[in-house]
Amino acid sequence: GAGVSQSPSNKVTEKGKDVELRCDPISGHTALYWYRQSLGQGLEFLIYFQGNSAPDKSGLPSDRFSAERTGGSVSTLTIQRTQQEDSAVYLCASSLVETYGYTFGSGTRLTVV
Amino acid sequence: AQSVSQHNHHVILSEAASLELGCNYSYGGTVNLFWYVQYPGQHLQLLLKYFSGDPLVKGIKGFEAEFIKSKFSFNLRKPSVQWSDTAEYFCAVNVQWAGNNRKLIWGLGTSLAVNP
């Protein structure tokens, strides 16, 4: 596609439920990143994919968070047993080559009630 | 540990004023540097980037940034701001470690409000 597409754009979920966030990167971009933007916290790195593998998972806040990428394209970020502190905007970005700069999606605003 | 510091958290200016947003990073290796902007209700967009060469980088919408290696800084500037520049500005540094692994490290952002 023309840009990075994320779905859903908004998600309200009850505490304890699982959620799945999707990212469709720009076609041909091999690098894919997930970030979290919380109010007053700036951008927090979660995970980085190069193709289908994740060389850096160091940002995942707990074992309730997982992500996968298939076919070198679509990525899914899954949060199990959501907590209120998981409420944030989850941003996905892709890049053809890491040094070229990243294109961000519009994000998924997750609210855990 | 690698980090990026943006010293100004909130900046309020009048139109036509000059802007300088500070960004300092802590990392001794090779870096690529970025400034991103997020307008209200929109997603992040790349303003400008530095990889190598001329340390004075020109970006979109009249923005520029200067890489000063000795100061580990990459400050963003604009000679005359407009109301439409009201946005959140993020500085980011791409660091490389352990072979071909890379990570983009972000500052917390600077909120700029330009009064008409």
Side-chain angles (χ1 to χ4, degrees):
Chain A
V4 177
S5 177
Q6 289 188 247
S7 60
S9 55
N10 277 287
K11 176 72 176 178
V12 180
T13 189
E14 292 180 352
K15 180 181 171 182
K17 295 281 178 69
D18 297 352
V19 294
E20 206 169 82
L21 312 180
R22 177 188 168 106
C23 173
D24 206 334
I26 292 174
S27 178
H29 279 196
T30 58
L32 186 147
Y33 299 77
W34 282 99
Y35 292 89
R36 181 166 70 174
Q37 188 176 24
S38 304
L39 192 61
Q41 299 298 315
L43 277 161
E44 178 187 3
F45 168 79
L46 297 178
I47 189 170
Y48 154 55
F49 286 93
Q50 180 61 40
N52 290 335
S53 64
D56 190 351
K57 304 178 184 179
S58 63
L60 293 176
S62 75
D63 59 7
R64 296 187 294 105
F65 287 73
S66 63
E68 65 174 12
R69 189 179 185 193
T70 55
S73 180
V74 173
S75 176
T76 303
L77 177 69
T78 302
I79 309 173
Q80 295 177 309
R81 305 180 303 281
T82 52
Q83 303 295 313
Q84 287 184 329
E85 61 262 27
D86 299 335
S87 296
V89 175
Y90 289 81
L91 289 164
C92 176
S94 72
S95 175
L96 182 60
V97 175
E98 293 90 340
T99 54
Y100 282 10
Y102 307 76
T103 302
F104 280 84
S106 300
T108 294
R109 182 176 296 278
L110 175 66
T111 304
V112 182
V113 297
Chain B
Q2 307 109 354
S3 66
V4 175
S5 298
Q6 290 184 240
H7 313 296
N8 318 99
H9 297 296
H10 300 283
V11 174
I12 301 173
L13 295 173
S14 298
E15 276 194 317
S18 64
L19 171 71
E20 180 158 2
L21 302 183
C23 174
N24 285 88
Y25 64 94
S26 60
Y27 181 69
T30 301
V31 294
N32 298 305
L33 301 154
F34 304 84
W35 274 98
Y36 282 84
V37 60
Q38 188 172 24
Y39 296 104
Q42 297 186 27
H43 56 80
L44 283 161
Q45 301 171 45
L46 180 66
L47 260 184
L48 47 78
K49 57 185 183 285
Y50 171 80
F51 299 148
S52 64
D54 189 344
L56 184 61
V57 180
K58 304 284 187 183
I60 61 172
K61 303 185 181 184
F63 286 91
E64 64 178 32
E66 185 175 12
F67 173 47
I68 304 179
K69 190 174 181 180
S70 61
K71 295 185 178 180
F72 298 90
S73 70
F74 190 55
N75 293 353
L76 181 71
R77 299 195 293 250
K78 185 170 183 178
S80 176
V81 295
Q82 300 173 316
W83 176 78
S84 58
D85 293 325
T86 295
E88 190 89 14
Y89 292 82
F90 293 90
C91 179
V93 176
N94 197 5
V95 302
Q96 183 173 358
W97 86 104
N100 205 32
N101 292 316
R102 294 176 184 270
K103 182 190 297 185
L104 196 61
I105 302 169
W106 293 83
L108 289 180
T110 297
S111 176
L112 171 66
V114 180
N115 295 322

